[in-house]
Amino acid sequence: MRKKIVAGNWKMNLNLQEGVALATELKAALAADKPNCDVVICTPFIHLATVAGITEGTVIGLGAENCADKEKGAYTGEVSAAQVKSTGAQYVILGHSERRAYYGETPEILKEKVNLALANGLKVIFCIGEVLEEREAGKQNEVVGGQLADSLFDLTDEQFANIILAYEPVWAIGTGKTATAEQAQDMHEFIRGVIAGRFGEAAAENVSILYGGSCKPSNAKEIFSKPDVDGGLIGGAALKCADFKGIIDAWKD
Ligand code: PGA
């Protein structure tokens, strides 16, 4: 059975003290009311080691939002997958549309990052999604299929077992404009088919596919009710404990 997951992506928000406060509040909220899904928070690098001390031994998993495409050495300002792992984090988000668009992350660079993350024992939350013009031109399947093929198709079956996919239509990220539950389901079903074609039916059945883009407590339940939607990657609504918890609770009856 594939996992249900709600993952937060803090992006470049919260200073260290604010991040510690949010993680501490979430820990208490989830200790008082156990989630029905896996919960992960992905934080800026500077929070990881400290937040790991808060989430250790709890239901909360911890991840980074990026890692370097090089193993180690003279790459000033970069943070390697091994360094992320050494903080106690278990996950890393790769391929987020903001990294692709603002930092020039190409499919080749992402391939390197994915390989290094997996080699260092991290699970990868790999993001894919089309921009508005591509959807308006009816090209969303072609774009997303290409993103999967370009960065993930060279993985072995064993490596692919540590991939979580996040479909994030770029036009829905931080815009308040959510994809409809039907649009999410259609794309997730397509993605599962692409994975089945490359890695086989069992791998496609087992991979968790998260939806991301203006997910909130008020729409999470409907989106998560779709058969191929296994949870969410949450940006803005992950910055307030009550909102994030509200989305986690969407998995409850
Ligand atoms: P959002 O961001 O929930 O603020 O739209 C989602 C994401 O970019 O992961």
Side-chain angles (χ1 to χ4, degrees):
M1 261 294 277
R2 58 185 179 253
K3 287 184 176 203
K4 302 178 179 112
I5 304 170
V6 173
N9 173 12
W10 289 3
K11 307 194 179 183
M12 197 172 73
N13 294 297
L14 308 177
N15 67 25
L16 180 59
Q17 291 73 27
E18 291 163 343
V20 164
L22 177 57
T24 306
E25 197 185 351
L26 185 65
K27 174 180 169 170
L30 296 181
D33 182 18
K34 293 227 170 325
N36 273 357
C37 61
D38 284 10
V39 175
V40 180
I41 50 177
C42 297
T43 78
F45 295 127
I46 64 124
H47 295 79
L48 288 174
T50 315
V51 169
I54 299 167
T55 56
E56 200 188 341
T58 75
V59 296
I60 307 171
L62 179 64
E65 300 170 13
N66 182 27
C67 71
D69 61 339
K70 302 286 192 300
E71 201 178 328
K72 66 174 186 173
Y75 300 102
T76 302
E78 288 293 302
V79 176
S80 72
Q83 289 172 324
V84 168
K85 178 74 179 174
S86 75
T87 65
Q90 310 95 35
Y91 297 83
V92 61
I93 296 173
L94 292 174
H96 193 282
S97 61
E98 288 152 16
R99 302 285 327 164
R100 292 179 193 257
Y102 308 148
Y103 299 97
E105 295 198 357
T106 62
E108 294 70 38
I109 291 173
L110 290 172
K111 240 167 115 164
E112 296 299 322
K113 292 189 177 201
V114 169
N115 277 325
L116 286 164
L118 294 174
N120 283 283
L122 294 168
K123 290 187 197 300
V124 173
I125 301 174
F126 192 78
C127 303
I128 49 197
E130 80 285 357
V131 299
L132 186 60
E133 301 78 64
E134 290 163 340
R135 176 158 285 263
E136 283 173 348
K139 290 191 169 148
Q140 64 272 21
N141 289 7
E142 193 185 311
V143 169
V144 169
Q147 290 169 337
L148 291 168
D150 287 349
S151 297
L152 302 182
F153 272 22
D154 287 345
L155 296 179
T156 64
D157 293 355
E158 201 181 20
Q159 284 177 311
F160 186 74
N162 287 307
I163 301 284
I164 294 156
L165 297 172
Y167 169 57
E168 300 203 304
V170 179
W171 46 272
I173 296 177
T175 57
K177 198 171 175 231
T178 321
T180 64
E182 288 68 31
Q183 285 173 321
Q185 169 57 25
D186 284 353
M187 180 56 86
H188 285 220
E189 195 179 339
F190 168 74
I191 291 168
R192 216 175 287 286
V194 171
I195 298 306
R198 167 59 187 86
F199 293 98
E201 289 292 341
E205 261 313 301
N206 285 331
V207 66
S208 297
I209 310 178
L210 315 184
Y211 167 80
S214 298
C215 198
K216 4 181 211 288
S218 58
N219 60 26
K221 207 171 185 109
E222 195 193 345
I223 297 171
F224 295 177
S225 72
K226 295 295 175 188
D228 286 300
V229 178
D230 305 309
L233 181 57
I234 317 300
L239 297 173
K240 287 213 175 80
C241 183
D243 288 347
F244 193 53
K245 171 81 166 42
I247 295 172
I248 291 166
D249 288 347
W251 279 119
K252 298 196 169 171
D253 295 328

